Structure formats: C-alpha cells, structure tokens
Amino acid sequence: MAPPKPDEAAIFNVARQIDAPEVRRLYLEQACAGDRELQLRLERLLHVHDEDRGFLEAPALGAPTTAEDRIVEGAGTQIGPYKLLEKIGEGGFGKVFMAEQTQPVRRMVALKIVKPGMDTQQVIARFESERQALALMAHPNIAQIIDGGATESGRPYFVMELVRGVPITEFCDKNHLPAAERLKLFISICHAIQHAHYKGLIHRDIKPSNVMVTLHDGTPVVKIIDFGVAKATAQKLTEKTLFTAFGQMIGTPAYMSPEQAEMSGLDIDTRSDIYSLGVLLYELLTGTTPLDAVKLREAGFAEMQRLIREEEPPRPSTRLSSLGDSATILAGNRATDPKHLARLLAGDLDWIVMKALEKDRNRRYVSPGSFAEDVERYLRRDAIIARPPSALYRLRKLAQRHRAAVLTVAAMVAALLVGTAVATWQAIVATGAKYDAVVAAAAEKDAKQTAEAKEAESRAVLDFVERRVFAAARPEGQAGGLGHDVSLRRALQAALAAVDKSFVDQPLVEARVRRTLGNSFLYLSDARTAAEQHERARSIYLGLFGPDDPKTMTSTSDLANSYRAFGRYPESLRLHEDTLARRRAQLGPDHADTLASMNNVANLHDDLGDRAKALSLREETLKRRRATLGAEDPDTLGSMRNLANSYARFNRYDEAIQLEEEALARAKATLGEDHPDTLAIRMNLAISYADVHRYADALKLQEDTLALYKKKLGPFHRETFVAMQNVAKCLADLDRHKEAAQLLEETLKLQKEHLPADHPDFAQTTYSLALRYSSLKRYADSLKLHEEAWVLRKRMLGAEHHDTLYSMWGVAYNLLMLNRGAEAVPIIDECLRLARGKAKNPVFSGLADKRLRYFEQATDAAGCRTTAELWETFEFRDPGSLYNAARFRAVTAAVFRATDKSAEGAKQADAEADRAMAWLQSAVATRYRDAGKLKEDKDLNILRDRADFKKLLADLEAEQEKAKKP
C-alpha cells in the first residue's frame, strides 16, 4: 500500500508561520518526505507569500472589493493618535513601524500591527499573547508597552517605546568593549529576564537581535524586545485559543535549549532561558555560538535536533584557540590580544558559561538571578559557584553519547567475568552480611560525626555568648564587664569586636554567631549593624555551600530583611526575589519557606509602590498558606493582615475589615491577647476603622493596643513608638490636633533617647508631627520639621522614594502658606518631575493644583501653562488624572483671556481651551462619569459656551439618566 501523499495545503499553512529560514527549510524537508518537486513548489509559494502576505486573501479577478479589502496600513497611515512614518521591522505575522504619537503627548513610538492576511485565529492569539506579556512587565531593561487597540480594518496593534539601538553583539564589537564591560551588560540582561520569569513569562527566543543596546545620556542601556513566542507559566496571556502544535519548534536553533529542540512532552520551564542566556554570553565572549550556526543550517532537521540535544560544545577558551587568524580581530573587538583573551576565558568564565549550557537542565543555574550573581562574583574576584563537572558525571555523559560502544565493551567484560562468577558467588554470599554491617557502621559513624559537629558548633556559640555578652554585666573592668546596668545593645556591640578573632578556623561557627547577632540587632531596631553581620554570615555560607544551600538562602533572607528595615528596598527586593526563585525550584511552591519568601517579596512591592503586584502575591500566599498550614497558623494570620492592608490601599475597606476581624478572633484564641502578632492585627484593624470614618472605634482600639504594647514590649520599644503614632493619627482624625501633636512630641523625644541616631522611624515621626503643626496653622514650625524629614528620607530612601516626595510636598505647602511662593515653585517642579509614574496619587495632584492656584492668583498665564505641561509629562491614563489635565488647561485659557486682550492673546486662549476640551473628551472616553462635577466645576467655565462641551455634558447626563431606568 502506497504511503499517503503529503497534504500540501497543511504543510504550507504551517511553514508560512515559521519565521526562521533555516527552521522553515528543515521543516519542509521533513514534511515533504523526499518529494523534491513538492518542496520546490512550496518554497516558490512561500517566497510569493513573504513578498505579499495578503495574496491568498485577495479577491478573485473581477470580484467586487470592499472598503476593508483596500485598507492596508503603511507609512503615512494614521492609526488613532499614531501616524506611521516608516517600517523598521517585520516578522512572520507582524510589522513594526516607527510612528509619531500626536496626542495627548507628542513623541516617537514603535507600533506593531498584524500583517494583512495574517489575521487568523492562531496569529491573533499569538499577537495578543505578546501584547499581554509586555503589559505584565515593568522593568527598565524591557521595552515597555504604551497603548494598544485595533485599526479601522479590525487588525490589532500595540504601541511600545521606540528603542533606538543595535543588537548587543554589534554594539559591543563596534565599541570594542572589553570582557568586563560586556559582563556588566549581560548582568542587566539576566535581571530583566529574572523579572520576566517572576511575572510568569519564559521568553524562549533570547538572541542578540532581541537584546538591543541604546544610549541614555552616553550610558549603554540594554532593552529586551520581542516576546512574541513567550510562554506563560502563571496565568493565561489571552482568552483566545493559543495552540502550539505538537512537534513545532519554537525559537532560533543556535540559541535553543535541548528541551526546546526535543519537541516532546517535556515541559519547557525557565531553565530554557538560562541555556539561551548561556549561548548569548558565549557569543559575547568568543564572537561565535557554541554550536556552529553554519553546521546547524546545513544539517538535516533530525540531525539539527541531535546536535542541539547531544553535541557538547567546546569551552569558550577552547573555541577561541580554534579560530585561527580571525581570533586577532575578535580579541581586538574586546580591546585585548588573543593570548590575553584566552587566559581571561580559561577557568572561571569557562565554567560559568558551561554551567548555563548544561544539557541536563537540573545542572544549570536555577534562575537568571543566580546566573548574574555568579558573574558578579567573578567580577568581584570572589569564588564562583560554577565548578568543573565530576569524573563520574563525565563518565556517565560519555556513556550516553556512545551507548553502542559502551554496551559492546560491557558485553565483553561480562563474558570474561562469567567464568569466574560461579567461583566467586559463595564468597560474595559469605561476605554480604559483613558488607551490610560495614555499611551500617559507616552510616552510624557519619550520623554520629554530624551530631558531634552540630553539638560542637552549639557549644562554641553558647561559649561566645557567655564570655562576650553575659559577661558584660560584671563590674566595669572585670573580665569584660561593662557594669551592672549595661544595656543589651551595648553588650552586643562590645561583643562584635571579638567575633573576628574568636573563630579563625571555624567559619560555620562564625557564620552562626553573626546570624544570631544580626537578628538580635534587628530586634533592637539597629538595622544597619544587623545588615553588617548578615552580610558577613551570608558571605561565609555562600563561599562554603553556594547560593542554593538552605543555610545560604536563610542567611540571604535575613540580610534582605535587615536591608528593608532601613529603607534599602530595591536591594532587599532583589535578594528576596532570588531566594523565592531558588526555594520554588528546590522546595516547591507550597513549602513554608517558599511562602515566607513570597510574603517578603509582596511586602517589598508594597514598599516600592507596586500595589497591584503586592495584592496579587498576597492573595496567592494566603490561599496557599490556608491550604498547607491551616487557618490558625501564625503565618496564615500574618498573610490575612497583609492582604487586608492591600485591600485597604484599593479602597476595598469592607473586605479589609472582614479579614482583619476574622484574623483578630483567631489570633486571640490561638496566640493570646497580648501576643505581638495579635497586637499587630489590632493596629491594622483600628487603621481600617479610621479609613471608613469609625474614628471613635479606631481610637479606643489603638489606645488599648498601645497599653498592651507598653506592658508586653516595654515603653521604649520601637513597636510601642509606632503604636503611639497610630494613636496620634486617630486623635487627628477626630480634630484633636493639639493632643495629637503633644503625643508625637513625646514619641519623638523618646525615640531620640532610645533608638540609634540614624533610625528611619525618626523621619516618619518628624513628618507626622509636621502635619499636625500644619493643622494647627503653625506653618513655620511645620516647615522646619518637613525640611528635617526631607533631608532624612532623601539620605535613607533616595530622592525619588514616595515618602521623600511627601516630605518635599510638605515643604512646598508650608512655603505657600507662609506666602513664600517664589521659593515653593522650584520645589514643586522638582517634586512633580521626580513623581512621574505616581500621578494617580492624590498628593501629587493636589501639589500640581497648588502650583496652578499660585500662578492663577498672580494672573501669570505662562506659569499656569507650565503647570499643565508638567502634569501632562506624567503620561497618565486614569479618568481622574485626565480630568485634572483638562482643568489645568481650562484655567490657563481663562487667565490668557483675562490678561491679554490682543489677537495673539485670544489665539493662545483658544488653543488652551481646545487642549482642555481634548483632555476632557479623553477623560470621558476612559469612563469619567461625574456629570455633576462637570456641570458645577468653575475651572471649566471658559468651555461652557462651546458646542462640543454642551454636547459632551448632555450625552453624559443622558447616559446617567438611562442608567437609572430599570
């Protein structure tokens, strides 16, 4: 029976969606099954298809055409507010244009649109998948999505930032970057891919053309593009069906992981990107890929798969030595000579690259973050984690590659041994029991040695604490004594100096002592000293065991917590994210340690202002903790409290209060009335009561909580001071500002007496007291404190942190209240500049409004216009911010109309009014629905006689009336 003929149409439809020419050619060879005529015919059809992707969908000759048939978006076409200028890229199903955005701001962007004729269900799903993938991410080294929609002809598009750059390999070679500079760029790539993985996305096509380098103020910045074949691991990217056919190869062969080439049931996970990153680093260092690209192209499809799965690439230093004369040019591009470059690659860099390129994905780096960390160790000249594979592992790999030969040799050896087998069998039986006894004795000895080592470690730690900490309570000058009234903090500080000398040959004991000291200092609110100790402990564990050991991960988490305690939020987040990735890989998603890391990451996102991400992570953490730990577990109760905080940030107060009341009832029953976790839940519940204006309930609960804190932790504990601030806030909510100020004055005084001089809590108390002074109209006193808080926060948190910006706002506000507007305006301008990206925050909306009122009162139209322009640089999209933009432009128009009666003045007033109307229409288009405010807002008076304003208001009122009807 003759084999069935290949389905020509089916082969064509699959092949036309494969972008990579070499993969397409190999697919055709395999699918056509040796039918050369069919293959040539299909290749000609595909060539025509590539030249004009719409030819199959064009109407037959003489058939009528529709308006939609004639629409082909290209250079000069207007799509919404975007004018297409020129095509700058093209893939299998999409074109990318450089475009000019004309409103609400003018800028250059990149717009990607589905090609004509490619709007099949599969392509649309893939396109929307990429659009959603980009929308999930917010990282400086990943091209950001700006907007999206559909053209008049119904084809989807999305808009990204325009990356004016070149592929990373081209940039590095043209600029003759040495290896160290290339490694630094590579580290930023790893962190960006780590971000994508954390967002639940696997890129699957990392290669130089998808890693662009652009210059920002003369500094090279990496931008990763093209998430067109990204795979989601945590959520669906689109509601449309997205099907990757069985046996379909995704990616670019030279950069493809063995499991991608396998095309089997093996799931592709984040470690596939680790392999591609290894290929990229290999190319950055050697100028070529591990598997020769020409050899891959010339190989048949099956052979190409085998090469990727089985062929072990040469080490980078070995590959360099085989390049001959071209090695001189290659080394020159790296600002060195071939001999020096070979020496540079040999050793650590070889092993780092080869660890990422392991065929067995279990032996690769567990995450891009750990890959980057090893590169950073190399740059710091620290010991790296990558190590040469063992002899046993190399033997096993040899057997896998040469299975037939190994089986033959094994058979020969077996034949030689069979003659002696019978003779030796009795001896084996006789010695078997003895062997079992030896094994058992060895196991017992090993367990005994392990127990003895742990006991010795514990004895050494206790001995140190006894001699160096407890001894401090002896009379001053006697055997380390510091006096009977010595504080624990002083005793611990005195013990620090002895750590270096006490454990010279006992690194594990030193690490454990430093961890103990670090945690003690953290509980004593001395986060900086805690961080110093945790840094030293982590360094020891890292050097001895590597980043994936449980001790190292716990130490890393300790260090991250201490960083968070004094405001080093980005560093803390990086460490917690890396620990979370390692624990997920090793322990699974539901392990208690994994969930602790997830909780820590969520808290850091909340600290850094990413409230939505914090909410999502907290919901997942609580769900998993309830399922694995139970509803009464202290960690579960902590997750309930954290999630309630997130609900409150999104004004979901009913849900927050319900969750906190449940958590408080469970905490009282299981932990007790005065347990610190119970007290923390009580404080949160009181804050939520205040959020819904139950001020009396909130004050009573806060006062009771403060009394319990004083009893349980003492009157001078940090948490007691926080409780005092919360009581003051409740008093202020009840307009008892004088009492609130007095309580905050007492709190600040006690903090200065009992906390370290640079403790971050000083800034918060100072800021809160400044707000109370403003409420009491003590503007000069308030200004002084706001200036102090600003300086403290800028030093501890950085100029752009939201708490620092709040302090700037306080300074500007009080200057305005003191009629010192000329001093206030530059601070307002700087605050608004730094606050870009935080436009939804009402504080900054109010600040812009105060700037506008200052210039409106001074009848300064130019100043009003500058305010509007500053606000527009925020690039907001929420209805309230768009409405504010309209108000600012309308006020500017009114001031122009009132102050300049010339024709030019009238022209400028009309232009500002037109802009105001455009912003107002944008606000309504994005679901702004407060018709009453539009009708009464005096700022919009200059628009009221316009026909478009009247129509907009009438339509909005009619819509609201319609909504009221049953």
Side-chain angles (χ1 to χ4, degrees):
M1 184 175 174
K5 289 188 65 178
D7 186 335
E8 185 170 345
I11 296 171
F12 174 83
N13 281 326
V14 173
R16 70 185 181 128
Q17 297 185 49
I18 300 176
D19 292 335
E22 62 270 28
V23 178
R24 179 189 281 183
R25 178 178 61 78
L26 292 172
Y27 168 75
L28 288 175
E29 287 178 0
Q30 187 179 56
C32 293
D35 189 337
R36 184 62 180 162
E37 183 180 341
L38 172 61
Q39 183 177 339
L40 290 173
R41 184 165 64 251
L42 284 168
E43 286 176 348
R44 286 194 294 270
L45 280 171
L46 288 164
H47 177 72
V48 173
H49 173 267
D50 289 340
E51 292 297 317
D52 180 8
R53 290 284 176 143
F55 84 101
L56 284 180
E57 287 75 16
L61 187 64
T65 61
T66 66
E68 184 172 326
D69 291 330
R70 294 192 297 271
I71 295 175
V72 178
E73 288 81 358
T77 304
Q78 187 81 23
I79 299 178
Y82 307 101
K83 182 179 180 181
L84 306 187
L85 301 179
E86 62 175 297
K87 186 174 76 172
I88 57 175
E90 184 168 349
F93 58 80
K95 293 183 180 181
V96 183
F97 291 89
M98 181 169 68
E100 181 182 18
Q101 182 180 357
T102 54
Q103 60 175 347
V105 293
R106 188 175 293 276
R107 60 180 168 182
M108 305 303 291
V109 296
L111 185 146
K112 187 169 185 177
I113 184 172
V114 168
K115 291 180 182 180
M118 291 301 293
D119 45 354
T120 64
Q121 182 180 7
Q122 173 71 3
V123 170
I124 297 296
R126 176 69 67 193
F127 190 85
E128 292 192 1
S129 175
E130 180 180 10
R131 181 162 66 183
Q132 181 60 24
L134 287 170
L136 285 171
M137 295 178 290
H139 192 278
N141 298 119
I142 297 176
Q144 299 297 295
I145 192 167
I146 295 170
D147 196 3
T151 66
E152 292 182 2
S153 58
R155 287 189 290 119
Y157 70 86
F158 62 84
V159 182
M160 303 170 286
E161 65 172 301
L162 180 63
V163 179
R164 301 179 186 272
V166 296
I168 185 169
T169 48
E170 180 182 338
F171 177 87
C172 291
D173 287 350
K174 280 186 176 180
N175 291 278
H176 302 288
L177 290 190
E181 296 303 313
R182 292 169 185 246
L183 292 173
K184 290 175 184 176
L185 286 177
F186 180 76
I187 287 168
S188 63
I189 299 169
C190 289
H191 289 319
I193 296 298
Q194 176 78 51
H195 176 79
H197 288 181
Y198 185 70
K199 295 290 185 177
L201 298 167
I202 308 169
H203 190 286
R204 296 202 294 183
D205 198 19
I206 298 168
K207 57 185 177 182
S209 59
N210 285 339
V211 181
M212 309 296 281
V213 179
T214 183
L215 291 175
H216 286 183
D217 297 326
T219 302
V221 176
V222 167
K223 288 285 183 180
I224 296 174
I225 62 172
D226 198 348
F227 280 77
V229 295
K231 176 186 176 183
T233 63
Q235 68 281 305
K236 292 171 68 176
L237 292 178
T238 173
E239 292 304 315
K240 296 183 182 295
T241 301
L242 181 57
F243 174 70
T244 301
F246 180 78
Q248 183 176 351
M249 187 179 282
I250 300 295
T252 304
Y255 302 86
M256 187 180 293
S257 69
E259 56 267 30
Q260 280 179 278
E262 184 75 35
M263 298 192 306
S264 67
L266 182 66
D267 188 36
I268 303 300
D269 63 21
T270 56
R271 291 170 292 182
S272 184
D273 279 351
I274 301 295
Y275 185 93
S276 300
L277 286 168
V279 177
L280 179 59
L281 181 55
Y282 194 108
E283 187 170 5
L284 284 170
L285 295 173
T286 68
T288 182
T289 52
L291 298 177
D292 186 78
V294 175
K295 184 178 179 181
L296 282 175
R297 281 197 299 270
E298 293 175 351
F301 190 75
E303 174 63 9
M304 182 190 72
Q305 287 181 292
R306 188 197 69 77
L307 288 171
I308 296 172
R309 291 196 312 264
E310 300 177 11
E311 186 80 5
E312 292 290 349
R315 296 195 303 272
S317 59
T318 305
R319 171 57 64 84
L320 185 68
S321 64
S322 69
L323 294 178
D325 294 339
S326 63
T328 303
I329 298 173
L330 187 145
N333 288 338
R334 287 148 184 80
T336 187
D337 58 80
K339 288 184 179 179
H340 184 269
L341 183 58
R343 287 196 302 270
L344 185 72
L345 296 179
D348 283 356
L349 282 179
D350 271 345
W351 298 124
I352 287 173
V353 173
M354 298 310 288
K355 183 174 177 66
L357 293 178
E358 285 280 1
K359 301 295 185 185
D360 179 358
R361 60 182 178 179
N362 292 313
R363 293 178 60 84
R364 295 175 205 153
Y365 291 103
V366 296
S367 69
S370 64
F371 194 173
E373 198 169 76
D374 223 14
V375 175
E376 288 172 337
R377 283 191 204 93
Y378 167 80
L379 291 173
R380 294 195 306 264
R381 304 194 179 190
D382 288 343
I384 63 167
I385 301 307
R387 288 286 184 271
S390 66
L392 180 62
Y393 176 73
R394 290 199 298 270
L395 182 62
R396 188 167 70 248
K397 296 300 290 184
L398 178 68
Q400 289 172 353
R401 289 198 302 275
H402 304 288
R403 186 181 300 275
V406 170
L407 288 174
T408 301
V409 172
M412 291 170 61
V413 172
L416 290 171
L417 291 176
V418 76
T420 60
V422 175
T424 57
W425 175 249
Q426 295 298 326
I428 292 173
V429 171
T431 59
K434 182 178 179 181
Y435 173 78
D436 290 342
V438 170
V439 169
E444 183 180 353
K445 181 179 179 182
D446 184 60
K448 183 178 179 182
Q449 288 175 341
T450 301
E452 288 174 350
K454 289 184 176 178
E455 185 180 352
E457 183 180 329
S458 298
R459 279 200 308 268
V461 172
L462 289 172
D463 181 60
F464 177 84
V465 172
E466 183 179 295
R467 288 186 298 107
R468 299 294 181 177
V469 180
F470 293 161
R474 295 169 182 166
E476 191 168 358
Q478 179 185 327
L482 299 174
H484 294 304
D485 296 326
V486 65
S487 67
L488 178 59
R489 177 183 286 109
R490 190 177 169 212
L492 290 172
Q493 287 170 336
L496 289 178
V499 180
D500 288 332
K501 302 174 184 177
S502 299
F503 310 107
V504 176
D505 298 319
Q506 297 173 287
L508 280 177
V509 178
E510 179 185 347
R512 185 169 169 187
V513 167
R514 291 195 185 279
R515 270 201 67 213
T516 302
L517 288 170
N519 289 332
S520 297
F521 278 111
L522 191 60
Y523 283 119
L524 290 169
S525 303
D526 189 350
R528 290 183 186 276
T529 305
E532 291 168 4
Q533 296 307 305
H534 285 309
E535 284 169 345
R536 299 283 293 276
R538 179 173 180 264
S539 178
I540 293 170
Y541 288 129
L542 207 53
L544 290 174
F545 305 120
D548 297 324
D549 186 85
K551 291 187 180 70
T552 308
M553 289 190 285
T554 300
S555 185
T556 301
S557 185
D558 289 340
L559 176 59
N561 288 334
S562 61
Y563 281 167
R564 182 190 180 213
F566 67 102
R568 289 170 64 175
Y569 298 134
E571 293 165 276
S572 180
L573 177 61
R574 181 178 65 81
L575 291 175
H576 275 313
E577 284 185 328
D578 186 62
T579 304
L580 174 60
R582 294 179 192 281
R583 283 175 167 169
R584 270 182 176 152
Q586 294 190 29
L587 306 175
D590 293 318
H591 192 278
D593 290 348
T594 305
L595 295 176
S597 289
M598 189 184 296
N599 181 71
N600 290 331
V601 170
N603 290 341
L604 265 299
H605 279 298
D606 193 59
D607 291 334
L608 288 164
D610 191 347
R611 312 300 194 199
K613 186 62 184 177
L615 173 62
S616 173
L617 282 171
R618 284 170 170 172
E619 287 178 330
E620 182 182 355
T621 305
L622 177 56
K623 179 181 176 182
R624 291 182 182 275
R625 278 180 165 169
R626 271 181 166 154
T628 58
L629 303 177
E632 313 295 334
D633 188 87
D635 287 344
T636 305
L637 298 176
S639 282
M640 294 172 73
R641 176 165 57 91
N642 289 337
L643 180 56
N645 282 340
S646 284
Y647 284 155
R649 295 192 193 285
F650 284 91
N651 300 327
R652 294 163 62 176
Y653 299 120
D654 289 344
E655 293 167 271
I657 290 172
Q658 181 180 352
L659 201 56
E660 285 161 340
E661 287 178 338
E662 179 191 349
L664 182 57
R666 293 184 184 277
K668 285 179 178 179
T670 58
L671 302 176
E673 184 78 30
D674 62 351
H675 190 280
D677 290 353
T678 308
L679 297 180
I681 296 170
R682 289 171 65 102
M683 276 208 302
N684 274 37
L685 178 57
I687 292 169
S688 294
Y689 284 161
D691 287 335
V692 295
H693 309 301
R694 290 172 58 181
Y695 298 127
D697 292 337
L699 179 59
K700 183 179 187 313
L701 192 55
Q702 288 287 22
E703 288 177 332
D704 291 345
T705 305
L706 174 57
L708 288 168
Y709 264 121
K710 287 180 176 179
K711 179 181 177 182
K712 182 73 175 179
L713 301 178
F716 309 128
H717 193 277
R718 176 184 177 270
E719 294 298 336
T720 304
F721 297 148
V722 172
M724 292 172 73
Q725 290 188 62
N726 287 331
V727 171
K729 175 69 168 59
C730 288
L731 290 168
D733 289 335
L734 291 165
D735 292 326
R736 294 162 62 178
H737 298 292
K738 188 173 181 180
E739 294 171 74
Q742 290 171 344
L743 183 55
L744 288 170
E745 287 168 345
E746 179 189 354
T747 306
L748 189 57
K749 178 177 178 291
L750 291 172
Q751 283 178 324
K752 288 180 177 179
E753 291 173 356
H754 296 280
L755 293 180
D758 60 349
H759 198 281
D761 284 4
F762 288 147
Q764 180 59 43
T765 310
T766 303
Y767 174 77
S768 299
L769 182 56
L771 292 179
R772 301 288 69 79
Y773 283 164
S774 289
S775 301
L776 295 168
K777 299 185 179 180
R778 293 171 56 180
Y779 299 121
D781 293 331
S782 179
L783 174 61
K784 181 176 180 295
L785 290 180
H786 273 304
E787 288 173 334
E788 289 179 15
W790 183 16
V791 170
L792 287 170
R793 285 174 163 173
K794 190 156 48 173
R795 186 177 70 239
M796 292 185 297
L797 307 177
E800 298 184 26
H801 191 276
H802 51 83
D803 284 346
T804 309
L805 298 178
Y806 290 163
S807 292
M808 289 180 72
W809 171 87
V811 171
Y813 172 82
N814 282 285
L815 285 170
L816 289 171
M817 293 299 101
L818 292 167
N819 296 316
R820 293 162 61 181
E823 298 172 64
V825 167
I827 296 173
I828 294 173
D829 292 352
E830 178 67 4
C831 187
L832 291 174
R833 184 187 69 79
L834 293 172
R836 288 175 188 169
K838 304 179 179 69
K840 292 182 182 180
N841 194 304
V843 170
F844 303 118
S845 170
L847 195 57
D849 192 76
K850 287 193 177 300
R851 187 190 197 281
L852 181 79
R853 301 307 170 194
Y854 171 76
F855 285 106
E856 181 186 23
Q857 189 174 3
T859 61
D860 183 340
C864 292
R865 179 161 58 191
T866 304
T867 305
E869 290 169 348
L870 273 171
W871 185 246
E872 289 163 10
T873 62
F874 278 69
E875 300 180 11
F876 37 66
R877 288 186 180 82
D878 63 291
S881 296
L882 293 167
Y883 180 81
N884 283 333
R887 285 196 308 107
F888 295 165
R889 287 290 183 178
V891 170
T892 303
V895 177
F896 266 117
R897 186 71 52 83
T899 57
D900 189 346
K901 304 297 184 182
S902 67
E904 179 60 26
K907 182 179 178 182
Q908 294 204 54
D910 289 342
E912 293 298 323
D914 288 343
R915 289 190 183 95
M917 198 63 220
W919 282 117
L920 201 55
Q921 288 167 337
S922 295
V924 172
T926 53
R927 308 305 297 168
Y928 185 87
R929 288 296 177 267
D930 194 344
K933 187 171 183 180
L934 248 68
K935 197 170 184 178
E936 302 296 330
D937 195 337
K938 295 179 181 179
D939 287 339
L940 303 180
N941 282 349
I942 198 167
L943 305 177
R944 297 201 182 280
D945 292 334
R946 294 174 59 121
D948 49 1
F949 180 87
K950 292 177 180 178
K951 183 177 185 307
L952 185 75
L953 181 58
D955 289 346
L956 197 55
E957 290 179 326
E959 179 185 319
Q960 291 186 341
E961 285 299 318
K962 184 178 179 181
K964 291 178 183 177
K965 295 179 181 178

